[in-house]
Amino acid sequence: MDFYNKAKELLALNSEDIELDDIASADDIKAAESELEVVLPVSFKTFLQEIGGGDIGGEIIFSLTKEYKDDNFVIQTKKYRDMGLNHDYVVIARLDTLFYCLDVTNLDKDINKEGDVILVDEEFNKMETIASSFGEFLYMFLSQEALDEDEYI
């Protein structure tokens, strides 16, 4: 969770470029896990409960928003699963034709394990591992935003 805490510090420093969705309750998160038939990593659940997701520097990190269905990770994950996305992937952000996904493979066997964040192409093939946890991904994402870089992590 060190990366996640560092990411929260960056969020506080860059709050002028951030429009966040409502935070999620523990019950909302359990319902999302049930609907997707997955166990979400601790850092992502903490993010949903403390921050919520939303527009961070012009890019959207998906949340459980009810207002903006295109920004809801459950809706997006189910949509792309219907098109061929691996059942063990949860879509957390999209950049053009690329998807950032949590790989939740076997998280149900170890609830303290963090799933990798992977980059998936438009044909739903894994391209590369971006981070070893959502917290690390968020920190890298926010660091990139602070540097104002234009390419993906």
Side-chain angles (χ1 to χ4, degrees), residues 45-130:
K45 290 192 269 192
T46 303
F47 171 78
L48 294 171
Q49 290 180 300
E50 292 182 351
I51 297 168
D55 185 332
I56 300 174
E59 299 295 335
I60 305 294
I61 296 182
F62 297 151
S63 66
L64 280 173
T65 181
K66 292 171 181 64
E67 186 174 349
Y68 304 106
K69 294 186 190 278
D70 286 343
D71 298 345
N72 183 301
F73 77 88
V74 174
I75 293 169
Q76 292 302 307
T77 298
K78 289 175 72 174
K79 171 183 167 183
Y80 292 113
R81 280 182 180 173
D82 288 345
M83 298 167 68
L85 181 70
N86 184 315
H87 184 82
D88 290 325
Y89 297 168
V90 174
V91 180
I92 57 170
R94 182 160 185 202
L95 181 64
D96 298 323
T97 60
L98 303 176
F99 303 87
Y100 292 105
C101 297
L102 290 168
D103 183 347
V104 297
T105 306
N106 296 322
L107 290 189
D108 58 333
K109 293 178 174 66
D110 182 358
I111 61 170
N112 294 313
K113 182 180 174 196
E114 288 287 327
D116 291 337
V117 175
I118 59 172
L119 192 61
V120 176
D121 67 18
E122 67 275 0
E123 295 173 0
F124 309 117
N125 298 308
K126 178 181 174 181
M127 294 175 56
E128 64 181 298
T129 299
I130 300 296

Side-chain angles (χ1 to χ4, degrees), residues 131-146:
S132 61
S133 70
F134 176 77
E136 182 180 10
F137 165 78
L138 184 62
Y139 177 74
M140 291 168 57
F141 181 86
L142 292 169
S143 296
Q144 176 179 312
E145 289 297 319

